[in-house]
Structures are given as structure tokens and as C-alpha cells.
Amino acid sequence: LEFRRVLFRSAEIDRIATDPRVVLIRLAENQGITHALNEGLSRCRGNLVARMDSDDKMMPTRLERQFDYLSSHPDVTILGTQLQAIDWETSQLLSPTEHPEQVTDEFIKHQRDTSEIWFLNHPTVMLRRCEVMALGGYPEYRVAQDLGLWLKVVQAGLKIHNLPTVELHYRLHPDQVSTSRGVRREEYVQIVKECWKHDAAMQEE
């Protein structure tokens, strides 16, 4: 069954790639998601880049709303939206996320002290490519490369905002790395220490 699924995906990708608006990039070898993300960013020609996963569903309003917002807020580097997850067993939509419209140092510190840090939905992001690439792009981590990037962006004094509207339906799977909360806890702590120097800066002051 899994082999058939891989063949179907490959055939579907090849079909989509026949569209002249699509540029299909095939990497010579699997070097992990971080390499693929940074390779994709480096090959983009526009400065505004929208990201999503292949099995998610984007709302028709998403790109226009994000483009308009970033056009009127040139000081915002990364813009996310809310999403609703799709339960993998029932296909029912779960409750939407409620991420803050403005991500601040204070909000990140509060999350770090009280719960897992999660303030931005990676598949919903539209970002300014040049500013992100100037920071080195996504950092090399096994999990949560996106969190590492978001923290680097905030650390650099750049802004992250979220639209209050749901613009994407996110499909859950039982074997996703992002659902293995116990496994990734220590790695998250390490990423925060390396990418967010807020406490150290406060102590120096």
C-alpha cells in the first residue's frame, strides 16, 4: 500500500510539473528537510515566498490576504495565519489555532516558561526571502527547523505577525514527527538555547 502511495505521488508530481508555471526541483540525494527548504528558498525568484505542505488544503483567500498585508506592513518579515487540523481518523476539522497577531519577546518568554513554544504555523507562512536568507535560512536541526528560524528572526529584531483568519487546513498523520512531543522536548530546549539569546541579553544589560 505504501509503495502504491509513493508511485501515485510521483505520478501526480510529474503531472503538475507539466504546468508551465511550475518549476520542479529534484535533488540528487536526500540531505534532509532543512537542505531542501534552503535550496528551495535560494532558487526562488520573488522576494515573497509562501510555503505549505503537499497534503494540506489552502483557502482561496490565503495568498491575496497575506500579500496585501505584507504590502501594507513592509516592516513585517514573516506572516502566518491560523489553521484547522484535519483529524486523520475521522477527517473532521479540529478547533482553529489562536496564535497572536504580533509575536513579541514577552510572548515567547511566557510560552517558554509555561508550555511548549508554538506561535506560528509553518505551512501557512509567507516570508520575505532576502531577509530570511540573510540570516542563513533554516538552521540544521533534526526537528523544528522552523522554530529555530522564527527565533533567529525575532532575535535579529525582525517582526513576525499572524493573520487572525484560518487560511489552511492541516492534515494530521499518526506517524508525524511533530506529534511526538515527548521525543522532541529536549531538542526543543536546545534549539531555544541556541537561537534565542533573550535571557543572556537581559543579563548583560
Side-chain angles (χ1 to χ4, degrees):
L1 178 60
E2 185 61 30
F3 180 67
R4 290 180 182 177
R5 187 177 299 153
V6 170
L7 287 178
F8 173 78
R9 287 179 180 172
S10 179
E12 187 66 10
I13 290 172
D14 289 339
R15 184 190 66 80
I16 294 172
T18 61
D19 189 315
R21 299 169 298 178
V22 174
V23 176
L24 176 62
I25 301 172
R26 292 191 184 276
L27 302 179
E29 59 180 313
N30 184 353
Q31 299 183 51
I33 187 172
T34 301
H35 175 78
L37 288 168
N38 287 329
E39 182 70 16
L41 283 178
S42 69
R43 297 204 195 185
C44 288
R45 290 173 292 183
N47 189 36
L48 292 182
V49 176
R51 186 199 179 279
M52 66 178 290
D53 294 322
S54 60
D55 55 351
D56 298 334
K57 180 181 179 182
M58 179 171 59
M59 302 297 101
T61 53
R62 176 198 168 186
L63 296 180
E64 181 178 5
R65 286 177 174 174
Q66 287 186 298
F67 177 82
D68 289 346
Y69 188 94
L70 288 173
S71 296
S72 60
H73 296 79
D75 57 332
V76 175
T77 297
I78 296 179
L79 178 65
T81 79
Q82 311 306 321
L83 63 71
Q84 282 185 277
I86 305 171
D87 185 87
W88 70 278
E89 290 184 310
T90 65
S91 297
Q92 295 297 309
L93 287 174
L94 305 181
S95 298
T97 55
E98 297 181 351
H99 295 315
E101 293 191 37
Q102 298 186 25
V103 178
T104 63
D105 281 343
E106 291 73 19
F107 183 83
I108 296 174
K109 185 177 186 300
H110 174 73
Q111 278 201 324
R112 188 208 60 184
D113 293 341
T114 60
S115 63
E116 189 171 66
I117 296 180
W118 181 34
F119 51 78
L120 190 63
N121 297 313
H122 194 196
T124 73
V125 158
M126 182 177 285
L127 55 81
R128 298 189 192 277
R129 183 178 66 90
C130 293
E131 294 178 15
V132 168
M133 294 301 288
L135 295 176
Y138 289 86
E140 289 282 352
Y141 292 116
R142 188 180 71 89
V143 298
Q145 305 86 0
D146 52 336
L147 175 60
L149 176 57
W150 313 152
L151 294 175
K152 287 202 305 179
V153 167
V154 174
Q155 186 68 33
L158 304 175
K159 293 183 179 180
I160 296 177
H161 286 188
N162 284 297
L163 294 180
T165 53
V166 172
E167 301 295 341
L168 186 130
H169 291 166
Y170 177 76
R171 197 171 303 279
L172 294 174
H173 301 289
D175 57 348
Q176 283 173 318
V177 173
S178 59
T179 61
S180 306
R181 295 179 181 271
V183 174
R184 66 181 183 168
R185 174 66 65 176
E186 292 184 2
E187 293 179 84
Y188 265 47
V189 171
Q190 185 62 30
I191 290 170
V192 173
K193 286 181 179 179
E194 293 180 3
C195 298
W196 193 56
K197 311 296 185 181
H198 180 76
D199 288 343
M202 292 288 288
Q203 290 174 5
E204 290 177 3
E205 292 177 0

